[in-house]
Amino acid sequence: MTKVGFIGLGNMGGPMARNLLKAGYQLKVFDLSEKAVAALVEAGATKAANAREAARDVEFVVTMLPAGEHVRSVYLGEGGLIAAAIRGTVFIDSSTIDVPSARETTAAAEKAGMQMVDAPVSGGVGGAEAGTLTFMVGGTADAFGKAKPLLEKMGKNIFHAGAAGNGQVAKVCNNMILGISMIGVSEAFVLGEKLGLDAQTLFDISSTASGQCWSMTSYCPVPGPVPTSPANRDYAPGFTAAMMLKDLRLAQDASKTARTPTPLGAQAAQLYALMEAAGEENLDFSGVIKLIRGEI
């Protein structure tokens, strides 16, 4: 049985770890939440006393952490995962973080004789539970080849995006598109409502016309047309507005680094920041339609 250390058992990491257990991997797990650890131990994992212990004597380490500062803190330095792991360990970081942090951490791992990929995900909690996530992977071809069998147990679509950090580049670009398109769809539906056009009628027309996009046909921000969308559950989150704001801010940081203006991305970030300021950041990101309606 392949031994895997898994660190970060939150809304995404927990289901991902469960899918590795179901696939027959032997897991050592750690999280600051004792409840999250206990749930994975009950499912068959072994508890690690700390992150370093989770990385000892395993072939792979998977991390799912909140931000770049956490990744650097957990991986780097004398007390980090790189120092604790055996030579040849393959690290898979599925956190969504800034590109410089991803590249710095990978460089440190490679210098120590390890391999590492940045492998952020798309698909939300539902995708994590179903094992249908999309992984956008940055790193060498060899590291990608070694990581891919694990990723295939947690996801459906596995893409090699190129060199270290490119997984993060793909993730922030994808989510910038998503954030912008959701705002566009929401504005259109609110405008249609104000002018007397039924939401279902607009959906029936635009979902088969040039306005068609994922934000409309799979995640429609108004109740009714897409029964599985959060709009039918009072915007209970599949992907929170706070998470969208985090990704849009990462995209803005990247645009400054690349000296490439992204004015629509900047405007989208401002709108989601208004949701945060209003205390509604835990709504699903499609709940931005409530802001556009003036309900927030």
Side-chain angles (χ1 to χ4, degrees):
M1 295 174 67
T2 302
K3 296 180 179 179
V4 179
F6 204 112
I7 301 159
L9 305 171
N11 292 336
M12 295 293 292
M16 290 165 64
R18 285 180 179 274
N19 285 329
L20 288 180
L21 284 171
K22 291 175 185 176
Y25 288 92
Q26 184 177 332
L27 262 61
K28 282 199 296 180
V29 299
F30 176 74
D31 192 277
L32 294 176
S33 167
E34 289 288 340
K35 183 178 179 181
V37 172
L40 265 295
V41 169
E42 185 177 349
T46 300
K47 176 182 177 180
N50 50 52
R52 282 176 58 87
E53 184 181 321
R56 288 195 181 103
D57 300 318
V58 296
E59 298 163 65
F60 297 88
V61 176
V62 182
T63 50
M64 178 61 91
L65 303 169
E69 63 192 88
H70 304 102
V71 171
R72 292 193 304 273
S73 174
V74 168
Y75 274 92
L76 304 178
E78 293 183 4
L81 302 183
I82 294 170
I86 58 176
R87 190 176 181 87
T89 300
V90 178
F91 294 108
I92 301 170
D93 181 42
S94 286
S95 317
T96 296
I97 63 173
D98 60 286
V99 176
S101 289
R103 290 177 173 163
E104 176 188 352
T105 308
T106 297
E110 291 175 347
K111 184 177 180 180
M114 320 291 184
Q115 291 184 300
M116 185 169 185
V117 296
D118 53 289
V121 304
S122 179
V125 175
E129 292 173 346
T132 58
L133 293 169
T134 293
F135 284 90
M136 296 153 268
V137 187
T140 66
D142 188 47
F144 173 72
K146 290 179 179 176
K148 189 176 181 182
L150 271 77
L151 300 177
E152 288 175 334
K153 299 299 185 292
M154 298 182 286
K156 182 178 180 181
N157 301 299
I158 319 297
F159 296 101
H160 188 204
N166 279 17
Q168 302 297 343
V169 174
K171 174 66 184 287
V172 298
C173 289
N174 177 78
N175 279 22
M176 185 173 69
I177 293 170
L178 178 60
I180 293 168
S181 67
M182 181 57 74
I183 291 167
V185 171
S186 296
E187 288 185 347
F189 273 95
V190 171
L191 178 60
E193 290 169 6
K194 297 293 186 182
L195 295 173
L197 180 61
D198 176 72
Q200 184 65 55
T201 301
L202 176 57
F203 177 85
D204 292 343
I205 294 169
S206 288
S207 64
T208 59
S210 56
Q212 186 276 332
C213 63
W214 188 92
S215 291
M216 177 184 294
T217 57
S218 296
Y219 219 76
C220 189
V222 296
V226 179
T228 57
S229 73
N232 297 288
R233 306 188 304 274
D234 294 324
Y235 301 97
F239 186 68
T240 65
M243 295 302 294
M244 176 55 77
L245 178 58
K246 171 194 168 184
D247 290 354
L248 288 168
R249 284 172 169 164
L250 287 173
Q252 287 304 293
D253 289 343
S255 75
K256 292 173 185 174
T257 299
R259 297 188 176 185
T260 301
T262 53
L264 290 181
Q267 185 64 47
Q270 289 180 17
L271 289 175
Y272 281 100
L274 289 175
M275 289 185 70
E276 179 184 59
E280 299 290 357
E281 69 271 22
N282 291 321
L283 288 179
D284 187 82
F285 83 100
S286 61
V288 71
I289 195 170
K290 293 171 66 71
L291 180 72
I292 293 166
R293 282 200 186 106
E295 297 172 353
I296 294 175

